[in-house]
Amino acid sequence: MAQRDSIKGHWLSKSGVRRGIRDTVLAVPLVSDLFRKHWHFLSRLGACRGVFPTRHGAELVAASLGPVGYNENTAIGPEIKGEPSDMRKRDYPVLFWLSRALSEGCKILDLGGSAGTEYFTYRQFLQFPERVIWMVCELPHVVEFGRSLANAVDAPELAFTTRIEDGAGADIFLSCGVLQYLEQDLATCLRMLQPLPPRVLVNRIPLHEGETFFTIQSLLGTVVPYRIQNRQELVDSMIELDYQLVDCWTEKREVVIPFHPQRSVDEFYGFYFALSKVASKDRNWDAIATAHEVCARIAPLWMAERPTQEALQIELSIH
C-alpha cells in the first residue's frame, strides 16, 4: 500500500509540474501563441487557429492540417441533473421561453441537436404537452444512431431527419452551439423553412463586434471551419425576416486565436427571436410602460436625496 501511495504521489507531482510548465508558457504572450498554434491545437478539443475572410479559405487551410469535418467519435450526451443547482445558467433562458411556448401539438425543429441532447436535458424540467414533436436535424450517422436510441428508451416525441426542409411548419426553431459550424447562417437556414417558425431560440454562439470571419477549430482528430459572426449582423438579418429580438443573454466562454488577440472571443450569446405578431404577445406592453413610468419617478427622487460629492467631503472633514 505504501509503495502504491508513493507511486501515486510521484505521478501527481509530475502532473503538477507539467501543469505548472503549461501555465507558465501560456502566461508569456508570444510563446503562448506559438504553443497554442503548433502544439496545443490538435491535442485540445475546441482549440482554434488562423483568421480567414471566407469559409472556403478556412477549408483550404484546414485540409492541410488534418481530416476536415465532424469527428464521429465525439459524442455529446444530455446534462444529467440531480439537483436544481446543477442547471447551467445558460440553459435557464431557453427553458423559460420553451415553457411559455410549448403547447399541444407543438413541433420543434432542433438543428444540430445530436442524438437528442437538448431533448433529454430539458425534459427533466419541462412537462411536454400531448402530441409534441421534437425533430432533430443532424448528419446521417447521428440520425441513424438517434433513431435506434429513441426506440430503445422512453422518447415518444423524438424524431430525426437529415433535411432541414423536413422541419417546415415548426412552431419553434432551436439550435444550441451549432450555428458556428454550418455553411449557412441563421437567417439562411430559416429561409429554407416555409412558413417561417414563429419562435427562434439559439444558444451558445460565439459573436464579436468586428467583421464576420472564419477560423479553424480542432475536434480531436478532425478540423472544421468555425464562424465568428458580427453580433449586429446576426440581429439585423433576423429583423429583415420580420423577427423581433425579445431576449438576449451571454455566458463567459473564450475562443482564443493565436496571434489574433483582437479577434478572440470572451462571450457566447443566446437569443430569443419571435415574429412580430408573436413578439407582441410575449411581452406585457402595459407593464413595460408602467415600469418606465416608475423608473422615471424614482430616478429624480433618488438623485435628489443623494448627497453631493462636496457634501460628502465636508462630512468627512468634520469627522
Side-chain angles (χ1 to χ4, degrees):
M1 179 65 72
Q3 183 179 3
R4 181 181 301 175
D5 291 341
S6 175
I7 294 173
K8 181 179 179 181
H10 178 65
W11 182 88
L12 289 174
S13 176
K14 289 174 64 178
S15 175
V17 170
R18 286 195 297 268
R19 285 197 301 269
I21 294 173
R22 181 200 63 193
D23 293 343
T24 301
V25 167
L26 293 178
V28 182
L30 181 59
V31 176
S32 171
D33 287 332
L34 287 169
F35 176 78
R36 289 180 187 275
K37 181 175 181 179
H38 296 288
W39 295 283
H40 192 57
F41 177 66
L42 292 177
S43 65
R44 184 180 175 97
L45 180 67
C48 293
R49 62 182 287 180
V51 169
F52 309 91
T54 65
R55 181 183 176 90
H56 179 65
E59 287 175 337
L60 290 176
V61 175
S64 67
L65 298 174
V68 179
Y70 181 78
N71 187 341
E72 297 186 9
N73 295 320
T74 304
I76 300 175
E79 293 287 332
I80 307 301
K81 308 299 178 186
E83 300 291 338
S85 60
D86 293 338
M87 172 58 69
R88 299 171 302 190
K89 292 181 180 179
R90 69 191 186 198
D91 285 321
Y92 276 109
V94 176
L95 280 169
F96 172 76
W97 291 113
L98 271 181
S99 68
R100 293 168 58 95
L102 287 176
S103 59
E104 186 173 347
C106 179
K107 180 178 179 180
I108 301 165
L109 175 62
D110 183 1
L111 182 61
S114 190
T117 300
E118 270 66 48
Y119 167 83
F120 287 111
T121 297
Y122 295 157
R123 79 168 189 169
Q124 296 172 75
F125 299 91
L126 297 176
Q127 294 294 327
F128 287 179
E130 295 292 329
R131 298 184 293 107
V132 166
I133 299 174
W134 190 296
M135 177 177 287
V136 176
C137 182
E138 259 291 0
L139 298 172
H141 73 278
V142 180
V143 168
E144 182 180 357
F145 174 75
R147 285 172 176 164
S148 64
L149 181 66
N151 290 330
V153 300
D154 180 25
E157 304 93 353
L158 192 57
F160 290 86
T161 182
T162 59
R163 291 168 19 94
I164 189 172
E165 294 87 352
D166 290 341
D171 302 285
I172 302 169
F173 176 95
L174 174 68
S175 187
C176 298
V178 174
L179 293 176
Q180 52 268 37
Y181 297 103
L182 304 181
E183 292 187 25
Q184 303 88 359
D185 63 9
L186 175 59
T188 303
C189 291
L190 292 171
R191 287 190 181 95
M192 301 168 69
L193 301 169
Q194 295 299 329
L196 292 171
R199 294 179 169 88
V200 175
L201 283 162
V202 292
N203 206 9
R204 308 200 301 272
I205 311 172
L207 301 172
H208 77 145
E209 303 303 319
E211 294 183 355
T212 296
F213 68 94
F214 292 83
T215 184
I216 302 170
Q217 188 183 73
S218 168
L219 294 182
L220 293 181
T222 64
V223 293
V224 292
Y226 190 85
R227 179 192 292 111
I228 307 290
Q229 190 172 7
N230 174 272
R231 180 183 60 83
Q232 193 59 47
E233 177 185 281
L234 184 148
V235 174
D236 288 345
S237 69
M238 294 295 288
I239 293 174
E240 289 179 4
L241 293 179
D242 194 34
Y243 284 98
Q244 291 186 20
L245 176 58
V246 180
D247 195 7
C248 174
W249 56 94
T250 62
E251 64 167 313
K252 290 293 182 183
R253 187 175 175 184
E254 287 188 333
V255 175
V256 178
I257 305 175
F259 300 106
H260 297 279
Q262 73 282 4
R263 300 295 185 97
S264 296
V265 171
D266 57 10
E267 282 186 329
F268 279 42
Y269 282 77
F271 297 97
Y272 170 44
F273 295 98
L275 290 175
S276 297
K277 61 183 179 181
V278 175
S280 61
K281 300 176 183 178
D282 285 340
R283 286 181 170 178
N284 186 332
W285 295 104
D286 290 338
I288 291 174
T290 302
H292 280 292
E293 181 181 353
V294 170
C295 184
R297 290 174 179 271
I298 289 177
L301 180 64
W302 177 77
M303 293 298 292
E305 293 182 350
R306 184 182 181 185
T308 63
Q309 187 67 26
E310 181 180 356
L312 286 174
Q313 289 177 349
I314 293 174
E315 184 178 351
L316 288 172
S317 64
I318 292 175
H319 293 287

